[in-house]
Amino acid sequence: MSSEHDPRLAERDRPWMMRTYAGHSTAKASNELYRRNLEKGQTGLSVAFDLPTQTGYDPDDELARGEVGKVGVPISHRGDMSALMDGIPLGEMNTSMTINATAAWLLALYIVAAEEQGVSEEQLQGTTQNDIIKEFLARGTYAFPPAPSMRLIADMIAYTVEHVPKWNPINICSYHLQEAGATPVQEIAYAMSNAIAVLDGVRERVGDRGPDIMEQVFGRISFFVNAGVRFVEEHAKLRAMSILWEEIGRERYGVSDARHLRFRYGVQVNSLGLTEAQPENNVQRIVLEALAVTLGRDARARAIQLPAWNEALGLPRPWDQQWSLRIQQVLAFETDILEYPDIFEGSKVMDALVAELLDGARSEMAVVAEHGGAVQAVPYMKAALVDSHRERIRRIESGEQIVVGQNRFQESESSPLTEDAEGGILVVDPKVEAEQAAEVARWRSERDQGAVDDALARLAAVAGDPASQDNLMEPTIAAARAGATTGEWARTLREVFGSYRAPTGVGEASAAPADADLEELRAQVSQLQEKLGRRPKILVGKPGLDGHSNGAEQIAVRARDSGMDVVYEGIRLTPSQIAASALQEGVHVIGLSILSGSHRELIPAVIAALQDAGVQAPVVVGGIIPDQDVAALRSAGVAAVYTPKDFDITRIMRDIVALVGEGSERPAVAVASANAAGNGSA
Amino acid sequence: MSEEGAALGTRLRERDLSAAPAALNLLESIAPEDLREATALLAEVSPAALGGEAPAHVIGITGPPGAGKSTLLSSLLHAWRAGGMTVAVLAVDPSSRRSGGSLLGDRARIEFDPADRGVLIRSTAAGDRLGGLARATRAAAEALAAAFDIVVVETVGVGQAETDIADLADTVAVVVQPGSGDVLQFLKAGIMEIPDVLVVTKSDLGEIALRTRRDLSAALRSLGAAGTKVVAVSSLSPPSGIEELLTALSEHRAGLDLPSRRLRARREGALVELAREDGERAVRALGGRPGALAVLERQPAGLGSDALARALREELRS
């Protein structure tokens, strides 16, 4: 074969950036973890923040209870950020931060931490996730209402384009849409509509600053996508996204530079499809999903982080994360995928798949546009996602969609991987919360309070004037420098912007197609109604700051479809809220869902609050609940615990009906998760 | 039911708010033994037992989905509680499903302090029942009116629910958002009863909100209902119009001949109850509306609507 027919690239491609989504307990502990990960060949950082940091609360806030240091690292002020990045040269590092509502604040802390290292902001490289629409749709860590949230995002983009030019100020996330049940078409359409809403918002804010500004802004927008185990179609999805993106850039924003039109994305592959049953199978799933985002050169990821095999069990340990990093390294350094040009070029199958997805996505984007764009269409998109997720669960329940080890081939030897005392997961020391609470109090007492007050007053003044031309980033950075805390920054803005609750999507969700199982369940519910004198009534809600509501929503919709009255309370509930609702609504049973690992603290607190209120209704709990915690929850008074391996929601409903039927006498509490609770991470 | 109806009724009459959840459980139940206890409960909170009309201001708040009712209620709750008034909200969900189940999402949209014992929110599904109210809503409102300062009945819809709400509330407020022409058309066409107060939300939208307010005021004048206040409110911070709305609501209540409005409401309520539960045929058997009203007018004025409905059924049997 002559060299002009050599199918190989002249030079092997450089691998993508390799990251691990990591952070837990404290800034210091996370810093040690990052340094070890970098020594192992990781090439970028991906910071996981805990839920209080993500939603704008300090560790000593009542709402932070049980959540401090759990799903990520708590960062309250510039001292924490400096400790987190200690010894890591920020002028060279590429850092991705999964941060949204409080993204402007965390970027400000990062800029100040860099200053302390003597690194100027224009050298900084990295990404803030900063995609608030998907928080309203799928992830739940929003803090402010839509309009001021979009203003914050627009200001951040305007600021970084000018002052932090190598920063990706926003990662439009289709990732979480897939976790919430999106089909590939929905994932493409909603992500693109979301990007359009952001770009339109920026254009409104800075469009008058010369003709080049939108060209530059467009070039800084990147995506964060998902890839499921149907990896051929998933690859086609990414090719479709890159075609659409270029089209939007040219046609809507007049972008012409090919570099700026390129569809740039990072990826975390699918967590929704990872199972608690036979969790070792997740390794194969992760490998195949990684192929979806690396196989074809024309739509290859810029940065990859892979979930750990045991995510559906609890928080992964450093060793579990190392395994996922090694998957990337084997792919990049042992296989030959980086040696060829695009291997799907000219493939009829791939082209047809891409065309089909493009057609579907364009028409769904038109529907979103008819609703007035992505911000206005949040309720529509949310309801559509709840519907898609319900359909997915139905297919798994009926066996139409095979999940190895879960609904087929369930027989298994016992696993040596989960045999240690903690069941093969990381358990955050419960002392962390109290220590962090004390630490932030100490920080507040040692700083120049006058400077902090002035900085926050300035922030409030700029935020309070919606017509202000002043960029919110400037007073934000000044507050970070003065030593303000995450909770103070967010509280200042909450006071000006007001608070907000996103639509739940469950009210609009259409009814399930009735099958024999559901009909039988409805008959049982009717019998129970006769016995109770009223229609059985269930309270479904999520205590704590965890915003992954997909599971709770599915439980709520199925309870309704089985004939119950459902009080759906959504996310971020305090124990006293749950108790007051249960009492006032006269519910017969309470279903709580928690995925953040805070069940050890929060569930007993809810049960105590219910007892104080004199509520007799049983409690069931669902979520990512490690086996070794089940007994403790049961003895605290929980009637039943469901985990991702309980994927059959109709069966959970039958349990609940039986529970209510047997026990107007017996107090109990059940928490339900089921696969419906999802295994979502990130 | 462990607690007897009469005891719960007495506690409500003595304004013990903690009796409310159990009272509502009882009133919503259709188990035969509960129905007996509910009768006993309602007797304890009837005007006869109270020695007059129940003290609460019963306010109906209705409007189409998305008009901003929950946000408005959050602002009103805040203002009432700041003034020391206790408030019960009966939120009626209109959804009707083949399964019979419902998703009651309103509570999550109303902001209030969960530790505050002076607020109660109860969600119910209207199910298949016509008229926009749940079976127990009327009884619940009458019972809670004995104990709370304010009882709000929140329903969804325009042109369907107002009639039933008007037979139960002292003051009916219809909530519309700017630009919603349907309310205007319904009013002009007489499909919709004229409310006591019209609330235009989202007044921060500016010109379109002002125009909606002007159009509604003009329509009301041409219908000879210039007395109906039209209030524009905004819940964006800083909220505006809430004080004006509170004044409009309490002025309406102050201008009422309360005993006669309530008496008429109880009689209409009993009639509706009979028609909904036993069908129009039962009403016809009593000689239609005039015949039924004649029966009701013979009853003592201090009976609750539940007792009045029973009187109609007894008349049917006799």
Side-chain angles (χ1 to χ4, degrees):
Chain A
M1 206 182 276
S2 76
S3 70
E4 63 198 284
H5 294 112
D6 187 345
R8 287 168 199 83
L9 291 166
E11 199 179 333
R12 196 175 205 274
D13 273 329
R14 284 203 352 237
W16 53 89
M17 184 168 312
M18 299 183 193
R19 294 185 171 123
T20 304
Y21 182 64
H24 67 88
S25 301
T26 65
K28 188 166 175 295
S30 301
N31 174 264
E32 286 161 12
L33 175 65
Y34 295 169
R35 293 209 222 182
R36 274 203 311 281
N37 285 348
L38 291 167
E39 282 163 16
K40 289 175 188 165
Q42 182 177 306
T43 51
L45 290 179
S46 171
V47 181
F49 295 99
D50 72 355
L51 288 167
T53 306
Q54 293 188 44
T55 48
Y57 298 101
D58 286 334
D60 54 354
D61 195 289
E62 191 209 342
L63 271 167
R65 186 163 164 198
E67 308 279 14
V68 176
K70 284 275 164 55
V71 300
V73 58
I75 298 293
S76 302
H77 45 71
R78 62 177 159 77
D80 284 343
M81 187 61 95
S82 291
L84 184 69
M85 295 298 158
D86 183 36
I88 297 171
L90 295 186
E92 293 149 42
M93 185 45 57
N94 190 312
T95 304
S96 167
M97 299 193 236
T98 298
I99 197 73
N100 294 280
T102 55
W105 174 248
L106 272 300
L107 176 61
L109 292 176
Y110 192 77
I111 289 171
V112 172
E115 270 170 21
E116 289 174 8
Q117 287 190 4
V119 173
S120 68
E121 58 187 0
E122 55 272 18
Q123 292 170 263
L124 298 178
Q125 295 180 65
T127 305
T128 31
Q129 193 166 82
N130 208 13
D131 170 2
I132 205 68
I133 293 177
K134 69 94 176 47
E135 295 296 329
F136 295 139
L137 283 176
R139 192 168 172 274
T141 69
Y142 50 82
F144 317 117
S149 297
M150 294 305 277
R151 177 181 163 203
L152 260 176
I153 291 169
D155 276 7
M156 239 181 110
I157 295 173
Y159 183 88
T160 52
V161 165
E162 196 173 337
H163 302 280
V164 202
K166 287 189 273 186
W167 197 263
N168 297 313
I170 183 167
N171 235 210
I172 304 287
C173 296
S174 69
Y175 171 85
H176 308 84
L177 305 181
Q178 183 175 117
E179 294 295 312
T183 62
V185 162
Q186 287 174 326
E187 195 183 335
I188 301 169
Y190 298 167
M192 291 294 156
S193 303
N194 182 354
I196 287 171
V198 170
L199 284 163
D200 285 359
V202 180
R203 184 161 59 183
E204 207 166 284
R205 210 93 177 118
V206 302
D208 53 359
R209 296 190 196 162
D212 277 357
I213 188 83
M214 287 314 289
E215 179 95 34
Q216 289 171 40
V217 166
F218 194 85
R220 291 321 305 167
I221 308 285
S222 56
F223 286 75
F224 184 62
V225 308
N226 203 330
V229 76
R230 292 170 53 82
F231 72 101
V232 178
E233 185 182 36
E234 291 292 77
H235 184 72
K237 175 185 80 185
L238 293 161
R239 297 173 89 88
M241 287 177 91
S242 82
I243 291 169
L244 263 179
W245 185 237
E246 184 178 335
E247 200 173 284
I248 291 168
R250 280 189 202 285
E251 290 170 13
R252 195 175 176 103
Y253 301 103
V255 178
S256 53
D257 187 327
R259 280 171 308 151
H260 293 153
L261 285 167
R262 205 169 294 155
F263 175 67
R264 299 177 309 132
Y265 74 93
V267 64
Q268 158 117 1
V269 304
N270 191 284
S271 282
L272 182 65
L274 302 186
T275 60
E276 183 193 5
Q278 301 178 29
E280 63 279 5
N281 294 334
N282 293 327
V283 174
Q284 299 77 289
R285 295 188 179 106
I286 292 165
V287 171
L288 294 170
E289 289 161 357
L291 284 180
V293 297
T294 53
L295 259 184
R297 188 173 188 256
D298 283 358
R300 186 172 290 150
R302 295 301 180 96
I304 297 179
Q305 53 194 38
L306 298 178
W309 67 280
N310 56 351
E311 261 197 20
L313 276 55
L315 299 175
R317 301 159 298 186
W319 177 80
D320 307 312
Q321 298 199 315
Q322 174 186 311
W323 195 353
S324 290
L325 175 64
R326 297 293 185 243
I327 293 174
Q328 295 203 51
Q329 290 166 331
V330 168
L331 248 158
F333 301 116
E334 293 188 15
T335 78
D336 53 352
I337 57 173
L338 292 173
E339 292 171 15
Y340 310 108
D342 187 78
I343 61 171
F344 294 111
E345 196 184 329
S347 157
K348 285 183 198 162
V349 172
M350 190 53 76
D351 288 349
L353 266 177
V354 169
E356 187 183 290
L357 289 169
L358 279 174
D359 274 358
R362 286 200 182 99
S363 52
E364 189 61 15
M365 283 172 75
V367 176
V368 173
E370 275 166 29
H371 277 83
V375 177
Q376 298 295 324
V378 162
Y380 161 76
M381 294 190 286
K382 177 75 194 177
L385 291 174
V386 171
D387 270 352
S388 296
H389 195 38
R390 201 209 44 223
E391 172 59 17
R392 175 183 174 277
I393 288 170
R394 187 197 64 75
R395 285 199 315 271
I396 294 174
E397 284 176 330
S398 69
E400 273 169 59
Q401 179 171 335
I402 292 171
V403 182
V404 172
Q406 181 169 285
N407 66 357
R408 280 282 285 281
F409 315 113
Q410 291 101 327
E411 307 70 23
S412 178
E413 306 297 331
S414 77
S415 162
L417 283 176
T418 52
E419 272 171 1
D420 73 7
E422 294 290 359
I425 54 164
L426 176 84
V427 176
V428 173
D429 186 340
K431 286 205 300 283
V432 160
E433 187 160 314
E435 285 166 10
Q436 291 294 303
E439 204 281 329
V440 75
R442 187 187 59 77
W443 173 270
R444 286 194 207 103
S445 70
E446 290 176 2
R447 66 190 179 178
D448 176 353
Q449 189 60 43
V452 171
D453 292 345
D454 290 350
L456 293 176
R458 165 85 186 130
L459 175 68
V462 174
D465 175 8
S468 172
Q469 288 300 304
D470 292 339
N471 192 309
L472 280 162
M473 273 310 284
E474 276 147 19
T476 294
I477 293 170
R481 225 177 254 131
T485 67
T486 302
E488 290 166 338
W489 178 83
R491 188 170 61 238
T492 302
L493 293 184
R494 278 190 172 99
E495 280 165 9
V496 179
F497 293 153
S499 54
Y500 178 72
R501 285 191 83 87
T504 62
V506 296
E508 297 80 14
S510 53
D515 56 24
D517 274 3
L518 193 58
E519 290 295 352
E520 189 194 325
L521 183 58
R522 282 180 189 167
Q524 289 166 354
V525 170
S526 299
Q527 281 167 10
L528 181 58
Q529 180 174 357
E530 289 291 309
K531 185 168 167 183
L532 297 170
R534 298 188 280 147
R535 192 171 283 284
K537 198 171 186 183
I538 181 172
L539 174 75
V540 178
K542 288 179 66 65
L545 291 174
D546 172 26
H548 291 96
S549 54
N550 306 328
E553 287 153 7
Q554 294 302 321
I555 293 285
V557 170
R558 189 65 59 90
R560 178 202 67 186
D561 289 343
S562 60
M564 297 190 212
D565 279 341
V566 183
V567 179
Y568 181 63
E569 286 251 73
I571 62 168
R572 246 183 261 182
L573 305 172
T574 61
S576 64
Q577 256 170 322
I578 292 168
S581 300
L583 176 70
Q584 295 182 5
E585 295 289 355
V587 298
H588 298 103
V589 59
I590 296 153
L592 306 173
S593 159
I594 299 192
L595 282 76
S596 66
S598 57
H599 52 271
R600 288 183 182 191
E601 292 81 8
L602 287 176
I603 299 297
V606 171
I607 290 177
L610 287 168
Q611 281 163 355
D612 283 353
V615 175
Q616 302 285 306
V619 176
V620 293
V621 176
I624 299 191
I625 313 286
D627 280 349
Q628 65 273 22
D629 290 355
V630 171
L633 291 179
R634 296 295 297 256
S635 67
V638 173
V641 176
Y642 299 100
T643 68
K645 66 174 173 282
D646 302 303
F647 62 91
D648 184 342
I649 304 184
T650 300
R651 192 185 66 73
I652 295 175
M653 288 300 141
R654 276 199 297 271
D655 284 1
I656 290 176
V657 168
L659 182 68
V660 174
E662 80 196 35
S664 16
E665 303 82 24
R666 192 169 62 87
V669 176
V671 182
S673 114
N675 195 39
N679 314 333
S681 67
Chain B
M1 276 297 146
S2 52
E3 193 156 12
E4 285 183 21
L8 284 169
T10 307
R11 283 170 62 198
L12 287 176
R13 203 175 61 221
E14 289 163 357
R15 316 205 71 175
D16 173 0
L17 305 187
S18 72
L24 293 170
N25 292 349
L26 187 57
L27 293 174
E28 287 175 11
S29 175
I30 51 165
E33 65 278 17
D34 289 345
L35 289 173
R36 278 193 304 276
E37 295 300 327
T39 302
L41 188 159
L42 290 168
E44 291 297 329
V45 292
S46 67
L50 288 166
E53 292 302 328
H57 185 184
V58 182
I59 301 172
I61 294 186
T62 188
K69 292 183 297 298
S70 307
T71 314
L72 176 68
L73 258 176
S74 303
S75 302
L76 287 173
L77 265 180
H78 186 77
W80 280 322
R81 291 303 294 139
M85 315 263 257
T86 57
V87 189
V89 178
L90 299 169
V92 185
D93 185 286
S95 67
S96 163
R97 300 274 171 180
R98 210 164 58 78
S99 71
S102 65
L103 266 159
L104 308 168
D106 242 19
R107 154 171 225 108
R109 291 192 289 265
I110 301 175
E111 272 178 44
F112 67 105
D113 174 4
D116 182 354
R117 307 279 167 201
V119 177
L120 175 135
I121 298 178
R122 178 81 162 202
S123 324
T124 48
D128 295 334
R129 210 176 151 91
L130 296 171
L133 298 182
R135 189 192 66 85
T137 307
R138 188 182 314 273
E142 284 180 23
L144 297 183
F148 287 82
D149 296 320
I150 306 275
V151 174
V152 175
V153 179
E154 187 207 358
T155 62
V156 180
V158 166
Q160 310 93 39
E162 302 76 20
T163 340
D164 276 15
I165 273 226
D167 294 338
L168 131 75
D170 304 329
T171 305
V172 177
V174 169
V175 182
V176 296
Q177 60 180 340
S180 46
D182 45 353
V183 170
L184 199 62
Q185 298 310 320
F186 287 169
L187 267 177
K188 285 181 179 166
I191 293 171
M192 181 179 144
E193 292 220 1
I194 295 165
D196 302 312
V197 177
L198 259 166
V199 188
V200 181
T201 53
K202 307 175 191 178
S203 67
D204 44 275
L205 292 179
E207 183 50 37
I208 184 172
L210 286 174
R211 194 173 344 116
T212 304
R213 184 179 176 168
R214 272 199 311 273
D215 292 349
L216 289 170
S217 298
L220 287 167
R221 274 199 306 279
S222 73
L223 291 165
T228 294
K229 281 255 171 46
V230 185
V231 183
V233 300
S234 166
S235 56
L236 279 195
S237 62
S240 66
I242 298 300
E243 279 305 317
E244 198 192 334
L245 176 57
L246 289 171
T247 309
L249 293 171
S250 45
E251 277 178 0
H252 176 266
R253 169 65 144 54
L256 284 179
D257 174 357
L258 192 68
S260 69
R261 172 137 178 165
R262 289 255 176 102
L263 180 61
R264 189 182 66 92
R266 285 193 292 273
R267 286 174 178 166
E268 292 291 342
L271 247 174
V272 169
E273 170 67 19
L274 185 76
R276 297 268 187 273
E277 291 292 308
D278 302 18
E280 291 296 335
R281 183 173 301 184
V283 181
R284 281 198 297 277
L286 287 170
R289 193 180 149 79
L293 279 176
V295 175
L296 290 169
E297 277 158 19
R298 291 200 298 274
Q299 309 301 319
L303 292 187
S305 60
D306 161 76
L308 289 174
R310 230 176 6 262
L312 287 176
R313 291 195 183 104
E314 272 159 28
E315 183 73 21
L316 267 178
R317 276 195 293 273
S318 68

